[in-house]
Short mmCIF file of all heavy atoms in Angstrom, two decimals:
data_model
loop_
_atom_site.label_atom_id
_atom_site.label_comp_id
_atom_site.label_asym_id
_atom_site.label_seq_id
_atom_site.Cartn_x
_atom_site.Cartn_y
_atom_site.Cartn_z
N HIS A 19 -7.39 1.61 -2.15
CA HIS A 19 -6.10 1.41 -1.54
C HIS A 19 -5.04 0.92 -2.53
O HIS A 19 -3.88 0.77 -2.20
CB HIS A 19 -6.23 0.45 -0.37
CG HIS A 19 -6.86 1.02 0.83
ND1 HIS A 19 -6.32 2.10 1.54
CD2 HIS A 19 -8.09 0.77 1.42
CE1 HIS A 19 -7.10 2.41 2.51
NE2 HIS A 19 -8.18 1.66 2.51
N ASN A 20 -5.45 0.73 -3.79
CA ASN A 20 -4.52 0.40 -4.82
C ASN A 20 -3.97 1.65 -5.51
O ASN A 20 -3.38 1.56 -6.59
CB ASN A 20 -5.15 -0.54 -5.84
CG ASN A 20 -5.28 -1.93 -5.38
OD1 ASN A 20 -4.53 -2.37 -4.55
ND2 ASN A 20 -6.34 -2.62 -5.89
N HIS A 21 -4.11 2.81 -4.82
CA HIS A 21 -3.53 4.08 -5.26
C HIS A 21 -3.98 4.61 -6.55
O HIS A 21 -3.29 5.25 -7.34
CB HIS A 21 -1.98 3.95 -5.30
CG HIS A 21 -1.41 3.49 -4.01
ND1 HIS A 21 -1.36 4.23 -2.81
CD2 HIS A 21 -0.88 2.30 -3.64
CE1 HIS A 21 -0.84 3.57 -1.87
NE2 HIS A 21 -0.55 2.40 -2.33
N LEU A 22 -5.26 4.29 -6.90
CA LEU A 22 -5.81 4.85 -8.14
C LEU A 22 -5.75 6.39 -8.08
O LEU A 22 -5.61 7.06 -9.14
CB LEU A 22 -7.25 4.41 -8.29
CG LEU A 22 -7.48 2.96 -8.85
CD1 LEU A 22 -8.95 2.61 -8.78
CD2 LEU A 22 -6.91 2.82 -10.21
N LEU A 23 -5.93 6.96 -6.91
CA LEU A 23 -5.99 8.35 -6.81
C LEU A 23 -4.67 9.08 -6.82
O LEU A 23 -4.56 10.25 -6.67
CB LEU A 23 -6.74 8.74 -5.50
CG LEU A 23 -8.18 8.31 -5.49
CD1 LEU A 23 -8.85 8.61 -4.19
CD2 LEU A 23 -8.96 8.95 -6.65
N ASN A 24 -3.56 8.34 -6.97
CA ASN A 24 -2.29 8.95 -7.10
C ASN A 24 -2.02 9.54 -8.52
O ASN A 24 -1.03 10.21 -8.75
CB ASN A 24 -1.16 7.98 -6.77
CG ASN A 24 -1.05 7.78 -5.24
OD1 ASN A 24 -1.43 8.60 -4.52
ND2 ASN A 24 -0.46 6.67 -4.81
N GLN A 25 -2.94 9.26 -9.43
CA GLN A 25 -2.85 9.83 -10.77
C GLN A 25 -2.97 11.36 -10.65
O GLN A 25 -3.89 11.88 -10.11
CB GLN A 25 -3.90 9.31 -11.68
CG GLN A 25 -3.92 7.77 -11.79
CD GLN A 25 -2.71 7.25 -12.48
OE1 GLN A 25 -2.20 7.96 -13.36
NE2 GLN A 25 -2.26 6.09 -12.08
N SER A 26 -2.01 12.07 -11.22
CA SER A 26 -1.97 13.53 -11.03
C SER A 26 -2.98 14.28 -11.75
O SER A 26 -3.23 15.45 -11.54
CB SER A 26 -0.57 14.04 -11.45
OG SER A 26 -0.36 13.80 -12.85
N HIS A 27 -3.70 13.61 -12.72
CA HIS A 27 -4.68 14.32 -13.56
C HIS A 27 -6.11 13.88 -13.28
O HIS A 27 -6.98 14.16 -14.07
CB HIS A 27 -4.37 14.25 -15.03
CG HIS A 27 -3.01 14.91 -15.36
ND1 HIS A 27 -2.94 16.31 -15.43
CD2 HIS A 27 -1.79 14.43 -15.63
CE1 HIS A 27 -1.66 16.63 -15.80
NE2 HIS A 27 -1.00 15.51 -15.88
N ASN A 28 -6.32 13.16 -12.23
CA ASN A 28 -7.74 12.80 -11.91
C ASN A 28 -8.57 14.01 -11.72
O ASN A 28 -8.15 14.98 -11.09
CB ASN A 28 -7.78 11.93 -10.64
CG ASN A 28 -7.20 10.55 -10.79
OD1 ASN A 28 -6.97 10.14 -11.92
ND2 ASN A 28 -6.94 9.89 -9.70
N GLN A 29 -9.73 14.04 -12.30
CA GLN A 29 -10.62 15.19 -12.17
C GLN A 29 -11.96 14.84 -11.55
O GLN A 29 -12.53 15.65 -10.87
CB GLN A 29 -10.86 15.82 -13.51
CG GLN A 29 -9.57 16.49 -14.12
CD GLN A 29 -9.88 17.10 -15.45
OE1 GLN A 29 -10.65 16.64 -16.24
NE2 GLN A 29 -9.20 18.17 -15.72
N VAL A 30 -12.44 13.61 -11.74
CA VAL A 30 -13.75 13.22 -11.18
C VAL A 30 -13.62 11.91 -10.49
O VAL A 30 -13.15 10.91 -11.05
CB VAL A 30 -14.79 13.12 -12.30
CG1 VAL A 30 -16.15 12.62 -11.78
CG2 VAL A 30 -14.96 14.46 -13.00
N LEU A 31 -14.02 11.85 -9.26
CA LEU A 31 -14.17 10.57 -8.50
C LEU A 31 -15.62 10.44 -8.14
O LEU A 31 -16.16 11.16 -7.34
CB LEU A 31 -13.30 10.56 -7.26
CG LEU A 31 -13.49 9.35 -6.40
CD1 LEU A 31 -13.16 8.07 -7.14
CD2 LEU A 31 -12.62 9.48 -5.12
N HIS A 32 -16.30 9.45 -8.75
CA HIS A 32 -17.68 9.15 -8.51
C HIS A 32 -17.76 7.84 -7.71
O HIS A 32 -17.59 6.81 -8.27
CB HIS A 32 -18.44 9.00 -9.83
CG HIS A 32 -19.92 8.89 -9.70
ND1 HIS A 32 -20.77 9.09 -10.73
CD2 HIS A 32 -20.68 8.70 -8.58
CE1 HIS A 32 -22.03 8.98 -10.28
NE2 HIS A 32 -21.97 8.73 -8.97
N GLN A 33 -17.95 7.99 -6.39
CA GLN A 33 -17.98 6.83 -5.51
C GLN A 33 -19.28 6.85 -4.65
O GLN A 33 -19.24 6.86 -3.48
CB GLN A 33 -16.78 6.86 -4.61
CG GLN A 33 -16.59 5.59 -3.78
CD GLN A 33 -15.81 5.79 -2.50
OE1 GLN A 33 -14.81 6.52 -2.57
NE2 GLN A 33 -16.14 5.18 -1.47
N SER A 34 -20.40 6.89 -5.35
CA SER A 34 -21.70 6.97 -4.62
C SER A 34 -22.41 5.65 -4.60
O SER A 34 -22.01 4.73 -5.34
CB SER A 34 -22.58 8.00 -5.33
OG SER A 34 -22.94 7.54 -6.65
N HIS A 35 -23.35 5.54 -3.74
CA HIS A 35 -24.25 4.38 -3.64
C HIS A 35 -23.46 3.07 -3.34
O HIS A 35 -23.66 2.02 -3.99
CB HIS A 35 -25.09 4.19 -4.85
CG HIS A 35 -26.10 5.34 -5.02
ND1 HIS A 35 -25.72 6.54 -5.60
CD2 HIS A 35 -27.39 5.42 -4.69
CE1 HIS A 35 -26.75 7.36 -5.59
NE2 HIS A 35 -27.84 6.72 -5.06
N ASN A 36 -22.51 3.12 -2.44
CA ASN A 36 -21.78 1.95 -1.97
C ASN A 36 -22.15 1.68 -0.54
O ASN A 36 -22.44 2.60 0.18
CB ASN A 36 -20.27 2.15 -2.11
CG ASN A 36 -19.86 2.29 -3.56
OD1 ASN A 36 -19.88 1.30 -4.31
ND2 ASN A 36 -19.44 3.45 -3.95
N GLN A 37 -22.16 0.49 -0.10
CA GLN A 37 -22.50 0.13 1.25
C GLN A 37 -21.32 -0.09 2.14
O GLN A 37 -20.93 -1.23 2.39
CB GLN A 37 -23.47 -1.09 1.24
CG GLN A 37 -24.73 -0.88 0.54
CD GLN A 37 -25.64 -2.14 0.55
OE1 GLN A 37 -25.45 -3.00 1.32
NE2 GLN A 37 -26.64 -2.14 -0.30
N VAL A 38 -20.68 0.99 2.47
CA VAL A 38 -19.50 0.94 3.33
C VAL A 38 -19.96 1.24 4.74
O VAL A 38 -19.66 2.24 5.37
CB VAL A 38 -18.41 1.90 2.91
CG1 VAL A 38 -17.72 1.34 1.70
CG2 VAL A 38 -18.97 3.26 2.54
N LEU A 39 -20.67 0.29 5.38
CA LEU A 39 -21.31 0.48 6.65
C LEU A 39 -20.27 0.68 7.77
O LEU A 39 -19.22 0.05 7.75
CB LEU A 39 -22.19 -0.73 6.98
CG LEU A 39 -23.42 -0.92 6.14
CD1 LEU A 39 -24.06 -2.24 6.43
CD2 LEU A 39 -24.40 0.17 6.30
N ASN A 40 -20.59 1.59 8.67
CA ASN A 40 -19.80 1.85 9.85
C ASN A 40 -18.36 2.36 9.54
O ASN A 40 -17.45 2.28 10.36
CB ASN A 40 -19.69 0.59 10.72
CG ASN A 40 -21.03 0.16 11.25
OD1 ASN A 40 -21.84 0.96 11.61
ND2 ASN A 40 -21.27 -1.16 11.18
N GLN A 41 -18.19 2.86 8.33
CA GLN A 41 -16.95 3.50 7.95
C GLN A 41 -17.11 5.03 7.95
O GLN A 41 -18.15 5.54 7.61
CB GLN A 41 -16.43 3.01 6.62
CG GLN A 41 -16.17 1.52 6.58
CD GLN A 41 -14.89 1.16 7.33
OE1 GLN A 41 -13.88 1.86 7.28
NE2 GLN A 41 -14.96 0.05 8.05
N SER A 42 -16.06 5.72 8.29
CA SER A 42 -16.10 7.18 8.14
C SER A 42 -15.59 7.54 6.77
O SER A 42 -14.85 6.77 6.11
CB SER A 42 -15.25 7.89 9.21
OG SER A 42 -13.90 7.70 8.97
N HIS A 43 -15.91 8.75 6.31
CA HIS A 43 -15.42 9.22 5.08
C HIS A 43 -13.93 9.26 5.03
O HIS A 43 -13.23 9.04 4.07
CB HIS A 43 -15.96 10.65 4.73
CG HIS A 43 -15.73 11.63 5.91
ND1 HIS A 43 -16.48 11.56 7.03
CD2 HIS A 43 -14.82 12.52 6.05
CE1 HIS A 43 -15.99 12.52 7.89
NE2 HIS A 43 -14.99 13.08 7.34
N ASN A 44 -13.31 9.53 6.23
CA ASN A 44 -11.84 9.62 6.27
C ASN A 44 -11.19 8.31 6.16
O ASN A 44 -10.06 8.22 5.70
CB ASN A 44 -11.48 10.32 7.60
CG ASN A 44 -10.11 10.97 7.52
OD1 ASN A 44 -9.70 11.44 6.45
ND2 ASN A 44 -9.41 10.96 8.63
N GLN A 45 -11.86 7.22 6.67
CA GLN A 45 -11.31 5.92 6.62
C GLN A 45 -11.30 5.38 5.17
O GLN A 45 -10.36 4.72 4.75
CB GLN A 45 -12.05 4.96 7.53
CG GLN A 45 -11.82 5.17 9.01
CD GLN A 45 -12.78 4.31 9.85
OE1 GLN A 45 -13.94 4.40 9.73
NE2 GLN A 45 -12.15 3.49 10.66
N VAL A 46 -12.36 5.66 4.44
CA VAL A 46 -12.56 5.07 3.13
C VAL A 46 -11.65 5.82 2.10
O VAL A 46 -11.06 5.24 1.23
CB VAL A 46 -14.04 5.13 2.67
CG1 VAL A 46 -14.15 4.68 1.26
CG2 VAL A 46 -14.81 4.23 3.57
N LEU A 47 -11.56 7.15 2.24
CA LEU A 47 -10.70 7.94 1.33
C LEU A 47 -9.56 8.50 2.15
O LEU A 47 -9.72 9.43 2.90
CB LEU A 47 -11.54 9.13 0.72
CG LEU A 47 -12.44 8.74 -0.42
CD1 LEU A 47 -13.11 9.96 -0.92
CD2 LEU A 47 -11.61 8.08 -1.57
N ASN A 48 -8.39 7.94 1.97
CA ASN A 48 -7.21 8.46 2.60
C ASN A 48 -6.88 9.83 2.00
O ASN A 48 -6.70 9.97 0.82
CB ASN A 48 -6.04 7.51 2.40
CG ASN A 48 -4.81 7.91 3.20
OD1 ASN A 48 -4.59 9.10 3.38
ND2 ASN A 48 -4.02 6.98 3.60
N GLN A 49 -6.87 10.90 2.81
CA GLN A 49 -6.65 12.25 2.32
C GLN A 49 -5.37 12.35 1.52
O GLN A 49 -5.24 13.26 0.70
CB GLN A 49 -6.77 13.24 3.43
CG GLN A 49 -5.66 13.16 4.46
CD GLN A 49 -5.89 14.06 5.62
OE1 GLN A 49 -7.06 14.41 5.93
NE2 GLN A 49 -4.83 14.54 6.22
N ASN A 50 -4.40 11.56 1.86
CA ASN A 50 -3.11 11.67 1.14
C ASN A 50 -3.21 11.40 -0.35
O ASN A 50 -2.44 11.85 -1.17
CB ASN A 50 -2.09 10.72 1.78
CG ASN A 50 -1.69 11.16 3.15
OD1 ASN A 50 -1.69 12.30 3.51
ND2 ASN A 50 -1.40 10.16 4.04
N HIS A 51 -4.25 10.65 -0.72
CA HIS A 51 -4.44 10.33 -2.17
C HIS A 51 -4.89 11.54 -2.92
O HIS A 51 -4.71 11.63 -4.11
CB HIS A 51 -5.43 9.20 -2.31
CG HIS A 51 -4.98 7.89 -1.76
ND1 HIS A 51 -3.69 7.37 -2.05
CD2 HIS A 51 -5.60 6.97 -0.99
CE1 HIS A 51 -3.61 6.17 -1.41
NE2 HIS A 51 -4.70 5.95 -0.75
#
């Protein structure tokens, strides 16, 4: 939510093996980013 994904040249986002219980993929990653 600190807008790391607003960087225009991001190519790889590796966000595996985190315990975000009861969250949907859409809640954790805002598609606008």
Side-chain angles (χ1 to χ4, degrees):
H19 286 296
N20 285 331
H21 305 289
L22 283 174
L23 294 177
N24 282 337
Q25 302 293 327
S26 62
H27 294 285
N28 289 346
Q29 292 179 325
V30 177
L31 173 60
H32 188 165
Q33 187 202 324
S34 66
H35 296 81
N36 294 290
Q37 296 182 16
V38 283
L39 294 172
N40 298 319
Q41 297 288 319
S42 71
H43 53 283
N44 202 33
Q45 288 172 302
V46 175
L47 280 181
N48 187 328
Q49 65 187 29
N50 292 328
H51 294 312

